[in-house]
Structures are given as C-alpha cells and as structure tokens.
C-alpha cells in the first residue's frame, strides 16, 4: 500500500520554527523526487520545496528561500521540511508529494496534508 504519513504541523508563533516529516512506504522512495506543497485558504496549491532522488539538488519557491530547508533520509524513507522565521502568510495545509520519473513515465503520490498555522 502506497502511503505518505505527515507529521509536525500545528500552531506556531510568528518568527518561530517547525519541522515537518513525511514517512513514505509502499513504493521506491529512493528513486523519487520528493517535495512539499502547500495550499492556503482561497489560494491555489503551490510548490514550496523539492529535492531530487539523489538529494543533490533542491529548489524552493521564492517566498521561503533562506527560511525553509528540505532534506531526505533514504534509510528512513522520510523527507523533512525545516521551517524557520515563520510568517502568518505561511499558514496553509502542507502536503508531501513523491514523483517517480523515467523518460515519459510519471507517477505521483500525495499525502493527506498537515495544517500549519502561524499566529500569535
């Protein structure tokens, strides 16, 4: 069974930090690009951060550069999102995503999402 289990969401004060975790099972995690997406109320879902299967390359949406860090631990089949200097506009449901690519073949898996609320 393909499964992405997220944890670490909750209420955080502005300027605070939080670390999200996504534990994967049921597929070839080590061959997938992993990423975090978020969706705020009234907004479209957006890519926040991504990391390649090798862990050698990452990319971030401009609004989180310098504040968020994505990482992965293939031994634990887990991807992380370390968030610092959180702002109210970071409030959203954060989703874990896995994508397997081989030439034109693409397979996508999504987690259920975890709520992150930044408020005083």
């Amino acid at each position: 069974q393909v499964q992405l289990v997220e944890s670490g969401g909750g209420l955080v004060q502005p300027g605070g930090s939080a670390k999200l975790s996504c534990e994967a099972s049921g597929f070839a995690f080590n061959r997938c690009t992993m990423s975090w997406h978020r969706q705020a109320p009234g907004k479209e879902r957006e890519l926040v951060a991504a990391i390649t299967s090798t862990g050698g390359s990452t990319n971030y949406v401009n609004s989180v550069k310098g504040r968020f860090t994505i990482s992965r631990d293939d031994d634990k089949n887990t991807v992380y999102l370390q968030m610092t200097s959180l702002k109210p506009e970071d409030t959203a449901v954060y989703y874990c995503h896995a994508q397997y690519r081989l030439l034109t073949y693409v397979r996508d898996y999504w987690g259920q999402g975890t709520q992150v609320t930044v408020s005083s």
Side-chain angles (χ1 to χ4, degrees):
Q1 180 180 356
V2 173
Q3 192 172 10
L4 297 173
V5 181
E6 298 143 327
S7 62
L11 178 63
V12 186
Q13 294 188 7
S17 300
K19 188 173 185 178
L20 305 183
S21 298
C22 173
E23 185 175 359
S25 61
F27 64 96
F29 175 87
N30 62 344
R31 300 182 66 184
C32 292
T33 294
M34 301 299 299
S35 61
W36 290 92
H37 296 65
R38 68 185 181 187
Q39 187 166 19
K43 301 287 187 178
E44 297 293 325
R45 186 176 299 188
E46 67 171 349
L47 173 67
V48 177
I51 185 168
T52 59
S53 60
T54 64
S57 181
T58 60
N59 68 82
Y60 303 88
V61 67
N62 286 337
S63 60
V64 309
K65 287 181 179 178
R67 300 189 297 119
F68 290 11
T69 301
I70 188 171
S71 61
R72 67 191 295 158
D73 185 341
D74 286 354
D75 290 335
K76 298 181 179 179
N77 282 359
T78 301
V79 63
Y80 306 93
L81 185 66
Q82 177 66 59
M83 305 182 292
T84 62
S85 301
L86 284 163
K87 306 174 181 179
E89 50 262 45
D90 293 319
T91 296
V93 177
Y94 284 72
Y95 298 91
C96 181
H97 174 253
Q99 184 173 80
Y100 175 83
R101 287 177 176 265
L102 182 61
L103 299 178
T104 60
Y105 179 80
V106 180
R107 185 70 173 177
D108 294 279
Y109 306 101
W110 289 92
Q112 293 298 114
T114 183
Q115 177 71 46
V116 175
T117 302
V118 184
S119 176
S120 60

